[in-house]
Amino acid sequence: MLIVAATERELAVLGGLETFCCGIGPVEAAVRTARALEERRPDAVIHVGIAGSRTLEPPVLVLGSEAVYCDVIDPGSTLPRVERARPDAALLERTRDALPEAQVLPIATCGKVGGGTGFDVEAMEGFGVLRACELAGVPAVELRAISNTPDEADRVRWRFDEAFAALADALQRLDVL
């Protein structure tokens, strides 16, 4: 099992697990994850990190029912595009069983804070990681802890420590499935 997160800070609380830092943003996350999958060939991936929400209070846990790449959604376009990546159904179910308090919701992937309008949860890497895993045939799931509202510009007010602690606790309870 490979635990993937955008930053070393998110991974720092996960001592003893096989981890990988994919970088910030959907493109960087996709490219680096694809490379890591080729080099490491994990059996499964759990993508973890913090997220923003206008409707959920920190440090609520959220499992992604899908990752929606909202930067490319254009209802008026007729050009084909991939807008959604879904977690592996069996891995999602096992994760839900281990974390019954986690909400299961779509998670918007957007390149900037506040870009996930219309979604309860937004983050920046989920689609990239899940899509890379999907194309490589590696089961994956996205697990986020809410740390802030995207409308709060002052990062000092974001509840990073609580969100990181919630992720660490969740992964301990998952016992890396």
Side-chain angles (χ1 to χ4, degrees), residues 132-151:
C133 290
E134 194 174 76
L135 291 173
V138 175
V141 67
E142 183 176 9
L143 170 64
R144 296 286 181 163
I146 303 301
S147 64
N148 60 282
T149 174
D151 300 325

Side-chain angles (χ1 to χ4, degrees), residues 11-99:
L11 295 173
V13 297
L14 308 177
L17 300 174
E18 184 181 359
T19 62
F20 174 73
C21 182
C22 68
I24 296 173
V27 174
E28 191 70 11
V31 171
R32 286 188 179 186
T33 300
R35 181 180 219 176
L37 295 174
E38 179 66 26
E39 292 171 354
R40 297 181 184 204
R41 302 196 184 277
D43 293 332
V45 166
I46 299 178
H47 174 51
V48 301
I50 59 171
S53 177
R54 292 179 179 88
T55 60
L56 303 172
E57 288 295 317
V60 168
L61 292 174
V62 178
L63 286 165
S65 60
E66 63 181 342
V68 183
Y69 192 11
C70 56
D71 293 346
V72 299
I73 293 176
D74 180 0
S77 178
T78 58
L79 297 173
R81 70 192 85 226
V82 178
E83 301 173 347
R84 297 166 190 273
R86 289 178 176 74
D88 177 78
L91 182 57
L92 177 61
E93 191 60 36
R94 289 195 323 264
T95 308
R96 285 181 74 181
D97 289 346
L99 303 171

Side-chain angles (χ1 to χ4, degrees), residues 162-174:
E162 290 174 61
F164 294 148
L167 286 173
D169 176 66
L171 284 167
Q172 286 177 356
R173 289 186 291 135
L174 287 176

